[in-house]
Amino acid sequence: MIAKIQSFTLQGLTGVPVSVEVDVNNGLPAFDIVGLGDAAVKESKERVRSAIKNSGRILPAKKITANFAPAFIKKSGSAFDLPLAIGVLAATGQLVFNDQNTVFLGELSLDGSLRSAAGVLPMLISALSNGYKTFIVPKDNAKEASFVLGAKVYAAENLSEVIDHLSGLKPLEKVMTTRLDFMHNAKTYDSDMAFVKGQAVARRALEVAVSGGHNILFVGAPGTGKTMLAKCIPSIMPDMTFEEAIETTKIYSVAGLLDREGIVNLRPFRSPHHTASSVALTGGGATLRPGEISLAHNGVLFLDEMPEYSRATLEALRQPLEDGVITVSRASGTVKYPANFILCGSMNPCPCGNYGSADKECTCTPHEIAKYRAKISGPLLDRIDIKIDVDEVKYSELTDKTNGETSEEIRRRVNRTRKIQAERFKNDDINVNGDMGEKHLLKYCALSDECEKILKNAYDNLHLSPRARSRIVKVARTIADMDLYDEILPKHLLEAINYRNC
C-alpha cells in the first residue's frame, strides 16, 4: 500500500513542496529512505521507528520504502519526521488519511513528542502562496506560525495527538492568527543615547546615518565611546513594520535562532568577533545557513576594531553593501539571502590608539600607522558614507549631571525623516536615501551651480572616486530631509563632505 503525505523543504528563504511517498510490501524487513536527503533525513527512520512504537502503534516487519519527491532537490533537516511517521501509519493501514492539501512539519523525539523545526515560518508562507491552507506543526512552532495570515494551523505536542486529530477522535485546537502592533520605544533596548557623554559631532553623524540608512565608521582612541555609540543605533532606528518583522523572522527561523516570542520585533544588532571567518559572515556551510550579514537584515552589523578582521572577511562585505542581498554558492547549491543593513565599524587611529591625541604620546612609526590603516581596503572604505572622528571625552563632561537627548527623542526625528523618504520613493523599489542608484540621484538630487562647484572642488582636492561623489550627494540629501528642505543647499553638501574627510 502506498501513502502520500505533503511537506516542505527550504531553498534559501523559499519553501519548496516535497511529497513524502511511503510504500509498504511483504519483502524482506527493511526501512529505506531515498530522495536525496542529508544525514538528518536519513536518520529520521530511527526516530520514526521509536516514536511510532512509543506512541502505542505498530511498525510491522515488512519492507518500507520512503521516497522524498522530487528526487533532484536536496532535502535537509529533521522537519520530515512527522510526515514520514504519518505516511508509515497510513501505508500500514493504522490511519485512514489521504489529504494532499495538509502540510506536515516537525521533528520527532524517540518517545513520540514533537520538537520544534527550523524554518517553519518561511515554509508556511511559501506553502500558502502555493495554495496550501492547512498545516500541522509542533507546539513549539505555534507562536511563529500564528503570524502567517490566512493559514489554518494546528499545533500538537506529540504524535499521538496528531493521530487522534486526523482520526477525528480528539481534534486539535486551531492556532489563533496574530498581528502585533510593532510600536516600540527606546526603553526596550539596553543602550540609550541619553547616557552618551559629550560627542556632539559623533551623535549628529549617527543620527544622519540612521535617518538615511548610511554606513558609518567611528575612528578614535580606545575608551572614547565608539562601541557605546554603536550599541545605541537600534534604539534610534525607525519602528519595525510588520512586514520587516516577518522578513527578519524568516531568516532567524531558518537559522534556528527564534526565541519563544516566535517573531523578531526589535532591530537586530549583530556584532561578530573579529576571528569570524568569511563563511560565518556571509553564510554557507553544509546546509547553506544564513550568516551574520543576513542576521543583521533590517538592523545593524557592528564590526568592532575593523582592522583586526581578516582581509577576506572584510572584502566579503563589498557585494552585499552594494546590492542588499548576498548570494551564497557552495557545492550543495546556490541561495540568496537578504542583507540590507547599516554597517557600523570602529577602529583606532593607529595601533597604539594615541595618534592625534592632545594628551597622550603616539609610539607608532609612520610605517606602522600606514600598515594598520591599510588593513581596510580602499574599495571597502569607499562604500562607507560617513567617517567620523570620535574625540576624547573631558572629565567635566563625564560628571555632568544633565543627560543629553534620549534615544526616543532622536527616534522621533528619524521617523519624521524616514517618512519623507517613504513618500519620495513610494513608486520606486527603495526606501531610504542610502539605497539610491544613479537614476534616483538624477531624479531627486538636482544640485545648484553653487553646489556643483563645491562638489567639484572636493572631488579634485580630496581625490574622490565617482562612487564617493554619489555617496556624498546621498548623505547631503538626507541632511536636507532632516532640515525639511526640498532642495540640497550648500550647507548640507559641506556637512556631507566633512563626513568623508576623516
Side-chain angles (χ1 to χ4, degrees):
M1 183 176 177
I2 295 178
K4 293 183 180 180
I5 306 298
Q6 192 62 46
S7 188
F8 265 72
T9 190
L10 282 172
Q11 288 186 332
L13 294 183
T14 303
V16 179
V18 173
S19 179
V20 180
E21 304 170 345
V22 181
D23 174 60
V24 179
N25 58 56
N26 293 320
L28 292 175
F31 196 154
D32 298 321
I33 294 179
V34 297
L36 204 59
D38 66 357
V41 174
K42 295 291 186 182
E43 292 171 351
S44 64
K45 62 183 179 183
E46 301 302 333
R47 294 190 293 271
V48 167
R49 190 194 307 272
S50 296
I52 289 177
K53 289 182 177 179
N54 291 320
S55 298
R57 270 64 183 183
I58 300 171
L59 190 69
K62 295 186 177 183
K63 181 174 177 56
I64 302 173
T65 304
N67 177 42
F68 291 69
F72 65 87
I73 294 177
K74 180 75 173 178
K75 290 88 179 175
S76 61
S78 56
F80 295 112
D81 289 5
L82 179 58
L84 179 57
I86 297 300
V88 170
L89 292 171
T92 56
Q94 300 179 72
L95 176 66
V96 179
F97 182 76
N98 192 29
D99 184 1
Q100 295 296 302
N101 295 316
T102 299
V103 175
F104 294 83
L105 297 166
E107 176 186 334
L108 284 171
S109 297
L110 298 184
D111 62 358
S113 60
L114 281 168
R115 297 178 183 270
S116 62
V120 164
L121 180 67
M123 284 192 281
L124 261 62
I125 292 174
S126 297
L128 200 63
S129 65
N130 278 276
Y132 297 96
K133 300 284 188 183
T134 307
F135 307 90
I136 296 181
V137 301
K139 195 165 188 177
D140 288 344
N141 291 116
K143 193 68 176 179
E144 70 176 286
S146 70
F147 294 98
V148 183
L149 305 180
K152 186 185 294 184
V153 181
Y154 298 97
E157 289 188 353
N158 52 58
L159 179 59
S160 295
E161 286 189 1
V162 177
I163 296 171
D164 291 344
H165 172 77
L166 299 177
S167 302
L169 299 177
K170 189 178 180 181
L172 294 168
E173 291 187 9
K174 180 183 172 183
V175 175
M176 299 300 295
T177 301
T178 306
R179 185 179 179 95
L180 297 180
D181 179 15
F182 291 98
M183 298 301 291
H184 305 291
N185 54 52
K187 293 179 181 178
T188 311
Y189 298 92
D190 295 331
S191 300
D192 195 287
M193 291 289 284
F195 305 121
V196 177
K197 300 296 185 179
Q199 307 298 1
V201 176
R203 290 170 63 101
R204 166 70 176 179
L206 195 61
E207 183 177 344
V208 173
V210 174
S211 294
H214 305 289
N215 304 315
I216 186 170
L217 174 65
F218 293 121
V219 182
T224 52
K226 303 185 295 295
T227 302
M228 188 175 187
L229 282 164
K231 289 183 177 180
C232 288
I233 295 178
S235 69
I236 66 172
M237 291 184 75
D239 304 314
M240 218 172 185
T241 65
F242 183 79
E243 290 71 22
E244 285 178 326
I246 290 295
E247 190 175 26
T248 306
T249 302
K250 287 167 65 177
I251 300 171
Y252 277 71
S253 178
V254 171
L257 297 177
L258 277 185
D259 56 22
R260 292 186 176 181
E261 291 297 321
I263 196 163
V264 179
N265 54 14
L266 296 178
R267 297 280 180 182
F269 181 86
R270 305 295 299 185
S271 182
H273 193 261
H274 67 264
T275 57
S277 66
S278 58
V279 173
L281 204 66
T282 60
T287 56
L288 295 178
R289 287 164 55 92
E292 289 291 338
I293 60 175
S294 295
L295 294 171
H297 182 61
N298 289 325
V300 183
L301 178 66
F302 176 50
L303 302 183
D304 198 9
E305 303 299 338
M306 280 186 71
E308 301 302 325
Y309 290 79
S310 71
R311 185 67 173 255
T313 300
L314 292 178
E315 292 305 299
L317 292 169
R318 288 163 59 173
Q319 180 256 332
L321 285 177
E322 288 288 335
D323 303 334
V325 296
I326 177 68
T327 303
V328 181
S329 298
R330 300 289 184 268
S332 57
T334 300
V335 297
K336 279 189 177 181
Y337 289 117
N340 192 2
F341 54 87
I342 292 178
L343 173 65
C344 178
S346 73
M347 63 180 290
N348 296 327
C350 66
C352 77
N354 296 328
Y355 180 76
S357 174
D359 304 320
K360 300 177 183 178
E361 182 181 355
C362 176
T363 59
C364 305
T365 65
H367 174 71
E368 289 173 335
I369 296 174
K371 184 179 178 181
Y372 175 78
R373 294 193 173 190
K375 291 182 178 180
I376 305 177
S377 69
L380 180 57
L381 281 174
D382 220 26
R383 289 169 167 82
I384 297 177
D385 304 349
I386 298 175
K387 308 181 191 75
I388 197 73
D389 284 322
V390 181
D391 300 325
E392 295 179 357
V393 182
K394 297 178 181 179
Y395 190 80
S396 58
E397 293 175 321
L398 288 175
T399 56
D400 188 359
K401 300 300 182 182
T402 59
N403 290 329
E405 282 187 303
T406 65
S407 290
E408 186 175 0
E409 292 171 322
I410 297 173
R411 189 158 52 90
R412 280 198 289 265
R413 291 199 300 268
V414 170
N415 278 330
R416 181 190 66 187
T417 305
R418 286 289 186 102
K419 286 179 181 178
I420 294 173
Q421 295 168 63
E423 179 63 25
R424 174 184 300 131
F425 301 128
K426 63 182 179 181
N427 296 321
D428 297 287
D429 55 350
I430 60 174
N431 298 308
V432 293
N433 293 330
D435 294 336
M436 285 193 292
E438 292 302 318
K439 65 176 183 180
H440 304 110
L441 291 176
L442 291 173
K443 185 177 181 181
Y444 301 116
C445 301
L447 299 178
S448 65
D449 292 340
E450 184 180 0
C451 287
E452 286 287 6
K453 184 178 179 180
I454 293 172
L455 195 54
K456 182 181 182 302
N457 288 335
Y459 187 88
D460 294 336
N461 295 330
L462 300 178
H463 308 290
L464 300 175
S465 67
R467 180 190 289 116
R469 178 197 178 278
S470 298
R471 290 187 176 270
I472 286 174
V473 175
K474 294 177 187 179
V475 175
R477 177 67 271 172
T478 298
I479 297 171
D481 291 341
M482 293 171 65
D483 290 347
L484 305 180
Y485 279 88
D486 293 331
E487 297 181 358
I488 298 174
L489 301 183
K491 65 177 183 178
H492 304 141
L493 200 59
L494 288 169
E495 183 179 351
I497 293 170
N498 187 59
Y499 288 144
R500 289 199 72 89
N501 191 24
C502 173

